[in-house]
Amino acid sequence: MSELALEAEKLDAADELAPLRSRFVLDDVVYLDGNSLGALPANVPDRVADVVRRQWGELRIRSWEESGWWTAPERIGDRIAPLVGAAAGQIVVGDSTSVNVFKALVAAVRMAGEDRTEILVDATTFPTDGYIAESAARLTGRTLRAVTPSEVPGELGGRTAAVLLNHVDYRTGRLHDLPSLTSAIHAAGALAVWDLCHSAGALEVGLDQHGVDLAVGCTYKYLNGGPGSPAYLYVRKELQPRFDSPLPGWNSHTDPFGMSPSYAPAPGALRGRVGTPDILSMLALETALDVWDDVSVSAVRAKSLALTDFFLRCVRAYTGPGRVESVTPERHEERGSQVALRCDDAGEVMKRLIARGVVGDFRHPDILRFGFTPLYVGFGETERAARILGEELA
Ligand SMILES: *Cc1c(COP(=O)(O)O)cnc(C)c1O
């Protein structure tokens, strides 16, 4: 056994989060794609079966009340809240991240006021955020400028209405400095909108602590909610009375069953709702969140950094010099929970890795991406993944 494999055994033996692996349905595959689709929590299939057979099949319409369907968006929002450092009553679950980016950004621009004529968007953003920002700017009559997160402080000014940023870059795994960027945005009198897709469930976010205005995130990555599980929207408590949704539906009406022809928004987080929620996905997500019971995000973060550090060391040990280049920052303060390696033939290499039971993903044009989900990824399989990668790159 190699020295690194021995070290991995010791690290696994000392890992206090290792028992959490049994809360998931897993096999021999080294699954390093939880940053794209989290693994299936073991308690979800039975819950979904119960929701379908009993709540829908037997109780039918009664379930909106009796099975808590109607209040699920706020209830599940409150389950996500502690994972992103938010007090209760500020998060609502529903719709996709893309749709919530739209709601959040348009609402932010409306709150910023008429004299604020410019929106800044992360130039390195996941594409959907950029497309939506462009449309939001057109609809609100603002101009849009794409700048990298590090350029943001220098580009802010009296015209800035809102800034839309990704907490962790989906390609490189770079973690941006949410506290200092948020305070720079506030110093300029603008609103900060953060996309947490690649950070929530992997590291501490501290939404309340850092005074973030609005935030969105998906639940099918590090929160393991299942394919297409609904996203969430955070609106800071003090802003809720001024949150003017561009998608005001009957579900966010103060009296939804009054069926009034005119819209009057409900108070609180549920002002972010739109229409009838997707209950099957939503309740699968609710059950998926049980895996977080008695798990601290700081312990998850510590293990995540240990895993990515260890993976980088193993890759260096097992891969010839110059064959791959890590584009993920070395510094912990700048690293999310993934390792991205640049490699000319990345697409082909990833196909071979998957065939050998190491599942990461390929991002155009030359990135091998490996996501580390501390709830179920161990050190032994991390070493194995790096070893197989080294063999395939030889
Ligand atoms: C995954 C991801 C999305 C996904 O948006 P959907 O509407 O769920 O397809 C959006 N933004 C970022 C930064 C992401 O990583």
Side-chain angles (χ1 to χ4, degrees):
M1 213 187 233
S2 76
E3 244 170 70
L4 285 166
L6 282 171
E7 186 177 339
E9 270 190 5
K10 284 190 198 137
L11 288 166
D12 277 329
D15 174 16
E16 285 173 12
L17 299 185
L20 298 177
R21 195 179 153 87
S22 66
R23 298 184 184 180
F24 291 87
V25 176
L26 294 161
D27 52 22
D28 297 338
V29 166
V30 185
Y31 190 65
L32 302 179
D33 218 357
N35 54 339
S36 209
L37 177 66
L40 171 65
N43 57 351
V44 167
D46 285 348
R47 173 80 191 280
V48 171
D50 179 62
V51 171
V52 171
R53 291 184 198 286
R54 188 179 57 84
Q55 296 187 358
W56 179 14
E58 295 171 23
L59 297 177
R60 289 177 287 251
I61 196 80
R62 291 167 53 190
S63 272
W64 284 105
E65 278 287 330
E66 290 173 32
S67 304
W69 289 358
W70 183 261
T71 51
E74 302 88 74
R75 181 176 74 242
I76 302 169
D78 284 344
R79 295 279 308 275
I80 293 172
L83 301 176
V84 291
Q90 300 176 101
I91 295 184
V92 75
V93 173
D95 310 309
S96 63
T97 302
S98 302
V99 172
N100 283 303
V101 167
F102 179 78
K103 293 181 215 167
L105 190 56
V106 173
V109 170
R110 287 176 173 177
M111 285 190 266
E114 289 300 322
D115 55 328
R116 299 267 171 172
T117 55
E118 185 172 77
I119 301 171
L120 297 181
V121 66
D122 186 341
T124 57
T125 187
F126 186 87
T128 204
D129 302 50
Y131 307 154
I132 297 223
E134 197 277 329
S135 176
R138 227 156 10 106
L139 275 167
T140 58
R142 301 318 198 266
T143 54
L144 179 72
R145 215 147 47 86
V147 298
T148 63
S150 61
E151 289 166 348
V152 164
E155 298 294 333
L156 291 161
R159 288 182 305 144
T160 316
V163 185
L164 172 62
L165 291 167
N166 286 189
H167 196 192
V168 172
D169 185 298
Y170 77 104
R171 289 180 81 249
T172 63
R174 178 180 290 277
L175 169 65
H176 298 299
D177 188 343
L178 180 144
S180 83
L181 286 166
T182 301
S183 70
I185 292 165
H186 286 166
L191 284 93
V193 184
W194 285 93
D195 183 327
L196 310 177
C197 281
H198 282 272
S199 58
L203 51 94
E204 289 139 312
V205 181
L207 289 178
D208 287 352
Q209 185 191 344
H210 304 303
V212 167
D213 299 300
L214 299 121
V216 302
C218 71
T219 60
Y220 50 78
K221 292 172 182 165
Y222 294 102
L223 298 179
N224 315 302
S229 59
Y232 56 91
L233 169 68
Y234 165 91
V235 182
R236 182 155 58 85
K237 189 135 230 141
E238 304 86 84
L239 296 180
Q240 287 171 352
R242 291 167 54 216
F243 179 83
D244 178 9
S245 175
L247 296 173
W250 75 291
N251 271 230
S252 58
H253 196 282
T254 186
D255 180 16
F257 293 95
M259 302 291 165
S260 165
S262 60
Y263 182 71
L270 62 84
R271 194 174 279 210
R273 288 177 63 160
V274 184
T276 307
D278 38 4
I279 292 298
L280 301 184
S281 295
M282 189 149 326
L283 299 188
L285 165 64
E286 180 171 41
T287 305
L289 292 169
D290 288 351
V291 300
W292 292 93
D293 286 351
D294 49 83
V295 175
S296 87
V297 180
S298 65
V300 165
R301 172 62 169 163
K303 182 176 170 187
S304 157
L305 289 171
L307 283 167
T308 51
D309 275 341
F310 187 60
F311 183 68
L312 284 165
R313 270 179 60 210
C314 291
V315 169
R316 275 179 207 119
Y318 293 144
T319 305
R323 187 66 178 84
V324 293
E325 176 207 354
S326 171
V327 297
T328 299
E330 281 297 318
R331 293 183 57 222
H332 285 176
E333 307 79 56
E334 297 178 349
R335 192 193 305 160
S337 197
Q338 72 178 50
V339 171
L341 304 175
R342 183 173 286 141
C343 159
D344 289 337
D345 46 349
E348 282 310 307
V349 170
M350 186 50 72
K351 279 187 199 148
R352 298 204 299 273
L353 287 179
I354 291 169
R356 293 191 62 188
V358 176
V359 175
D361 60 24
F362 162 64
R363 282 296 174 265
H364 196 76
D366 56 1
I367 298 285
L368 293 167
R369 220 172 55 140
F370 301 95
F372 290 84
T373 309
L375 297 180
Y376 54 80
V377 172
F379 293 89
E381 42 180 0
T382 295
E383 186 271 342
R384 182 148 56 96
R387 185 157 31 86
I388 292 173
L389 173 66
E391 289 166 14
E392 289 303 326
L393 290 171

